[in-house]
Amino acid sequence: MQFSRMHKMSDGTQKFYDQPVQKLASKNWPPHQNIDHQPSSDDSNERARLSVDTFEQYCTLESSSGTGSHGAPNSPSTASFSPEKTQVSWPNQQSYSSELHQSPDHTCGSPVSGSCITQNENDLRHKLRELETAMLGPDLDNPAMYNVTSPKEDQISSESERWKCLVGIISRGDLKELLCACAKAIENNDMYAAESLMAESRQMVSVSGDPIQRLGAYMLEGLIARLASSGSSIYKALRCKEPASAALLSYMHLLYEICPYFKFGYMSANGAIAEAMKDENKIHIIDFLIAQGSQWIILIMALASRPGGPPHIRITGIDDSAAAYARGGGLEIVGQRLSKLADLYKVPFEFNAAAISGSEVQLENLEVRPGEALAVNFSMMLHHMPDESVSIQNHRDRLLRLVKGLSPKVVTLVEQEANTNTAPFFHRFLETMNHYGAIFDSIDVALPRDSKDRINVEQHCLAREIVNLIACEGAERVERHEPFGKWRSRFIMAGFTPYPLSPFVNATIKTLLENYNDNYTLEERDGALFLGWKNQAIIVSSAWR
């Protein structure tokens, strides 16, 4: 749950039609279009301009910020791609349904809503007749893709069923189903189905609606950004622009207060460090993502009251320019803040600033000294490190091996419990919907739906992660979560063994959760502590040595 940066996408760009897509009910059904065509290099400037211009038309974050759940009825959807050839590739209905049902919250067969493609049964039958007529056109001439003996009749029947499936999905008006179907269409390069589903979804999302409407607004932004493929211009075109640093910091602090996720991570990690360092007089803590340094305030205060006097504490804080923006300055701000606190509590203190990203860290940046007991903290940062699937450098495992070579007394890991690292696009989309859907649901009970503070928290602290997960691939996708089982394997392969969690710390966290909604759950298993919402794990904390 940190800010991510999205850079230009590496999967190429496509050329757009100039005409907007009108409401689906008012259109005839054209043949399916794909994005196999790659424009020549000499029109790249014009292509990029069209991509950005078209993309900006469809950003929904400001246009749907009202309390209603519908946008302007005549507003356009995403632009379509200019094809060189046609291909029918709407996914097989049976396999598509089975993939959707991997999502525990997915519901099908909901009643027709106000955003249905037609308003009455006669209109629907009329559209189906038009649809079947369109299916008799000359474009169905590829028998190999259907693997049938009687290509002409069976192709028409199969394609008709696929379009009926599309009409059925739209007519049911289930936003979750629409978004999942849109993601599946994009995965299969079915651009007409994708833009039709986007047009309907756009009428249903709202940053002031219920949790799925709010999450849907940002997931739709991600789908639009994925289709735009406009490189570094995507962030400029997105409506979720960064606020002033002071405002951004206030939104991050509000998220910290209304949900226990960060407090849980800080408390569990601090408890493991305090337990491991209880007999040490010189402590060196290396924090690989120090941000505001808030985690260490409680630990410094706790160590100040230790029997026999406080230890000497040295903290090495690692961070890059993204967090510097939120702070309103460099790491010296964190050092000064913690130094003043340590002086107040009479704790000997030093601060070492390493203003670099985690992937750039080398041994010399850590300034390890003999005679100091070492603790290393990985809090919500390792999932930003590219692994072997992205780069041969594999910084994710490189950092673990580097830290293991320092012989630390304890290493703490706090991460989101999600599986988005190497999952293919559609499965990653479902995982993103499930994981962030639970987070949005938990925020829903903490702040009113019409609260501007809630809108700002979700827009500036969560939306960019969601867009990055959906829109980006390769090195540009910096949000790469792994479930605890994979982290456990990585730590064991690097030579670590689990460090038992303190029962006292676990009891303290249980007391903390009493101040929050009853739907928060706490479970200890596999040597780790899982914080969840309605029994769905959201954050996991563990310690290693």
Side-chain angles (χ1 to χ4, degrees):
M1 269 174 265
Q2 299 286 343
F3 274 91
S4 64
R5 297 174 303 284
M6 182 166 62
H7 310 289
K8 72 176 184 177
M9 297 166 64
S10 58
D11 54 351
T13 57
Q14 286 78 28
K15 192 173 182 179
F16 291 88
Y17 279 131
D18 288 330
Q19 66 178 41
V21 177
Q22 301 302 323
K23 191 168 179 63
L24 191 59
S26 64
K27 291 188 65 171
N28 289 328
W29 299 86
H32 164 79
Q33 299 167 358
N34 64 40
I35 55 172
D36 292 339
H37 170 59
Q38 293 292 334
S40 60
S41 57
D42 58 357
D43 67 345
S44 58
N45 291 335
E46 179 65 14
R47 180 184 68 239
R49 185 186 66 79
L50 288 173
S51 297
V52 175
D53 292 346
T54 308
F55 174 73
E56 287 177 336
Q57 297 178 40
Y58 306 115
C59 290
T60 61
L61 301 189
E62 289 180 357
S63 63
S64 60
S65 61
T67 56
S69 62
H70 299 282
N74 294 323
S75 58
S77 173
T78 182
S80 59
F81 289 86
S82 177
E84 283 290 316
K85 54 186 177 181
T86 59
Q87 174 187 354
V88 179
S89 64
W90 180 248
N92 179 277
Q93 188 173 353
Q94 182 178 353
S95 64
Y96 166 66
S97 299
S98 66
E99 285 176 303
L100 283 185
H101 282 93
Q102 293 177 11
S103 167
D105 295 330
H106 177 73
T107 56
C108 295
S110 55
V112 177
S113 75
S115 67
C116 294
I117 187 173
T118 56
Q119 298 300 316
N120 56 63
E121 202 170 79
N122 291 333
D123 284 345
L124 181 56
R125 280 198 292 264
H126 176 67
K127 296 309 296 181
L128 288 176
R129 282 196 298 271
E130 288 184 355
L131 178 60
E132 290 167 356
T133 301
M135 292 305 102
L136 298 176
D139 293 304
L140 302 175
D141 55 1
N142 185 4
M145 69 190 303
Y146 292 96
N147 193 25
V148 292
T149 356
S150 175
K152 195 166 185 181
E153 291 180 354
D154 286 354
Q155 283 177 19
I156 292 171
S157 174
S158 175
E159 185 61 17
S160 177
E161 287 302 315
R162 281 162 171 76
W163 284 115
K164 286 178 182 179
C165 176
L166 175 60
V167 172
I169 290 170
I170 294 176
S171 65
R172 284 192 291 273
D174 183 296
L175 178 57
K176 191 176 287 190
E177 185 182 17
L178 280 167
L179 291 170
C180 290
C182 184
K184 191 65 176 177
I186 290 174
E187 183 178 67
N188 290 334
N189 289 345
D190 190 342
M191 291 301 103
Y192 181 74
E195 65 189 23
S196 300
L197 292 161
M198 278 190 202
E200 292 301 313
S201 300
R202 193 171 187 270
Q203 311 308 313
M204 300 174 67
V205 300
S206 169
V207 296
S208 299
D210 60 29
I212 185 58
Q213 288 178 309
R214 303 196 315 263
L215 175 62
Y218 304 120
M219 297 194 79
L220 185 58
E221 289 298 329
L223 292 173
I224 293 171
R226 187 179 183 88
L227 290 183
S229 300
S230 53
S232 58
S233 301
I234 288 179
Y235 259 5
K236 183 178 179 180
L238 280 173
R239 303 301 178 100
C240 47
K241 296 176 181 177
E242 285 186 339
S245 60
L248 178 57
L249 186 58
S250 71
Y251 303 148
M252 296 168 68
H253 179 72
L254 181 57
L255 180 61
Y256 174 85
E257 290 296 330
I258 63 176
C259 295
Y261 303 124
F262 289 106
K263 290 181 182 178
F264 162 79
Y266 291 170
M267 289 179 67
S268 57
N270 285 351
I273 293 172
E275 177 70 20
M277 301 295 181
K278 59 185 178 183
D279 297 322
E280 302 294 338
N281 293 322
K282 289 185 177 181
I283 300 172
H284 180 197
I285 300 171
I286 299 175
D287 189 348
F288 270 82
L289 188 63
I290 196 165
Q292 319 304 322
S294 304
Q295 176 173 347
W296 310 117
I297 293 174
I298 300 299
L299 184 63
I300 290 173
M301 293 168 63
L303 293 176
S305 59
R306 197 171 76 171
H312 180 280
I313 302 174
R314 187 162 66 94
I315 294 179
T316 294
I318 300 169
D319 225 338
D320 57 17
S321 58
Y325 177 83
R327 281 192 300 266
L331 283 171
E332 67 277 0
I333 295 177
V334 178
Q336 292 167 5
R337 180 187 184 194
L338 296 179
S339 294
K340 288 180 181 178
L341 178 73
D343 288 344
L344 182 63
Y345 284 87
K346 297 182 171 33
V347 176
F349 181 80
E350 288 182 64
F351 184 79
N352 173 42
I356 53 177
S357 69
S359 60
E360 298 172 321
V361 171
Q362 301 295 331
L363 178 61
E364 55 268 23
N365 303 123
L366 304 178
E367 296 190 12
V368 177
R369 300 174 188 170
E372 292 180 330
L374 180 63
V376 177
N377 184 57
F378 290 113
S379 181
M380 306 286 196
M381 73 79 57
L382 273 180
H383 73 271
H384 286 156
M385 296 297 101
D387 70 346
E388 65 279 3
S389 68
V390 181
S391 166
I392 58 173
Q393 283 87 11
N394 188 5
H395 293 295
R396 190 169 297 200
D397 289 334
R398 180 186 71 82
L399 288 180
L400 294 183
R401 293 192 298 269
L402 173 65
V403 168
K404 180 59 181 175
L406 303 177
S407 301
K409 290 206 70 174
V410 65
V411 177
T412 53
L413 173 70
V414 180
E415 277 294 346
Q416 292 166 250
E417 181 67 1
N419 188 12
T420 64
N421 182 25
T422 56
F425 169 67
F426 182 65
H427 294 282
R428 185 169 77 242
F429 184 90
L430 294 180
E431 184 78 357
T432 301
M433 177 176 284
N434 291 335
H435 180 75
Y436 285 93
I439 295 174
F440 274 59
D441 195 36
S442 68
I443 294 175
D444 197 56
V445 303
L447 289 174
R449 291 180 181 175
D450 59 352
S451 166
K452 290 184 178 179
D453 286 335
R454 182 201 50 71
I455 294 173
N456 285 325
V457 164
E458 292 173 349
Q459 181 172 325
H460 298 296
C461 300
L462 298 173
R464 290 200 170 194
E465 295 180 7
I466 296 166
V467 170
N468 183 262
L469 278 163
I470 296 172
C472 295
E473 296 294 346
E476 289 85 17
R477 182 159 63 84
V478 297
E479 300 295 333
R480 292 180 169 272
H481 312 99
E482 291 186 317
F484 177 68
K486 290 189 178 181
W487 290 119
R488 181 184 178 88
S489 298
R490 289 187 187 277
F491 271 78
I492 290 174
M493 286 172 57
F496 290 98
T497 57
Y499 186 95
L501 297 171
S502 166
F504 173 75
V505 174
N506 296 356
T508 304
I509 293 174
K510 288 180 181 177
T511 304
L512 165 71
L513 293 182
E514 292 175 0
N515 299 318
Y516 292 90
N517 190 275
D518 292 340
N519 284 312
Y520 285 105
T521 57
L522 189 66
E523 181 186 6
E524 185 175 358
R525 56 182 166 89
D526 301 326
L529 203 58
F530 293 78
L531 175 64
W533 173 258
K534 296 181 179 179
N535 294 315
Q536 179 180 335
I538 304 296
I539 304 288
V540 59
S541 177
S542 60
W544 304 83
R545 59 186 172 191

